[in-house]
Amino acid sequence: CRVSRSIQLHHMTYEHIGNEPDSDMTALCTLCHREYHQYYPRPSIKTTQIFIKEKKSGLSDFEKRMFETGNE
């Protein structure tokens, strides 16, 4: 999405709760995070990747590059 504030960390899996490696976390805006959990109550790496890909598909090429490099 295009939001650059109200960012939350999202657990891509609950396997390591309390001792998460960075690879188990990703940033989502508050609204996207809420939307994700409405559709996927139990997170997984696969569903998180699908969700992010769907969100990115609505972005401009510039925004996609910014998202991919973490400079959003």
Side-chain angles (χ1 to χ4, degrees):
C1 81
R2 297 177 178 146
V3 174
S4 62
R5 54 187 166 163
S6 300
I7 302 298
Q8 298 179 342
L9 284 178
H10 167 71
H11 295 86
M12 292 195 287
T13 176
Y14 289 156
E15 293 177 26
H16 305 106
I17 285 288
N19 194 25
E20 302 87 350
D22 291 344
S23 61
D24 280 3
M25 308 295 288
T26 192
L28 295 175
C29 79
T30 302
L31 295 176
C32 286
H33 197 192
R34 188 177 306 136
E35 180 183 349
Y36 174 89
H37 285 288
Q38 284 178 337
Y39 293 105
Y40 306 105
R42 188 79 177 161
S44 74
I45 292 171
K46 182 178 181 177
T47 58
T48 299
Q49 290 170 338
I50 291 168
F51 182 82
I52 291 172
K53 183 177 180 180
E54 289 172 353
K55 287 294 181 181
K56 285 170 52 176
S57 69
L59 302 177
S60 69
D61 289 341
F62 174 77
E63 290 167 321
K64 287 177 187 176
R65 285 193 304 277
M66 294 299 286
F67 187 82
E68 289 167 358
T69 60
N71 294 322
E72 66 275 346

